Amino acid sequence: MDRCIFALYDSRKSRIAAKFVLGNSADFLMEHFIFPVYKSAEDDLFTNLFDSRKGLWIQNTKITPYSKEIMYKLRTTLNVESFFISPIIVNRRPIGVFYADRQPSKRALDEDSFA
């Protein structure tokens, strides 16, 4: 992976924010990887991620069943089309996410990397 982000819920569990970043543009990502969590929205990426308790491979941020608002922000802020995202669950409660992509090198994501 070129960029990896460890992000956690804020104290009110209303948004996810980066707490640690590795890779290209780390300072920028720390400042801008902040996303709202809409617990009542069926198409909210984070709510679905936490409910399923499984990692997701978003292969195209333009064609996805998840919130267009969040995908647009991911696409424009991170300049990304494809990424991996996985929930962090502690004591059966979601606390945040791991995010990874290969945007800087433009290398394709693959099944082995996702697994």
Side-chain angles (χ1 to χ4, degrees), residues 38-88:
Y38 303 109
K39 294 179 183 175
S40 61
E42 289 181 24
D43 65 350
D44 180 66
L45 171 68
F46 300 106
T47 300
N48 281 279
L49 186 68
F50 295 143
D51 287 348
S52 74
R53 298 180 183 266
K54 295 179 183 176
L56 294 172
W57 177 359
I58 303 297
Q59 296 185 17
N60 186 335
T61 57
K62 293 179 183 177
I63 305 170
T64 176
Y66 303 109
S67 167
K68 290 180 182 172
E69 176 186 342
I70 289 176
M71 287 301 149
Y72 177 79
K73 185 174 179 188
L74 280 163
R75 191 169 52 254
T76 57
T77 303
L78 280 64
N79 189 29
V80 68
E81 290 183 20
S82 179
F83 61 89
F84 300 142
I85 191 163
S86 184
I88 301 169

Side-chain angles (χ1 to χ4, degrees), residues 19-33:
K19 296 297 177 191
F20 189 77
V21 178
L22 289 175
N24 194 1
S25 306
D27 291 338
F28 177 85
L29 294 174
M30 276 294 290
E31 186 176 333
H32 291 93
F33 194 92

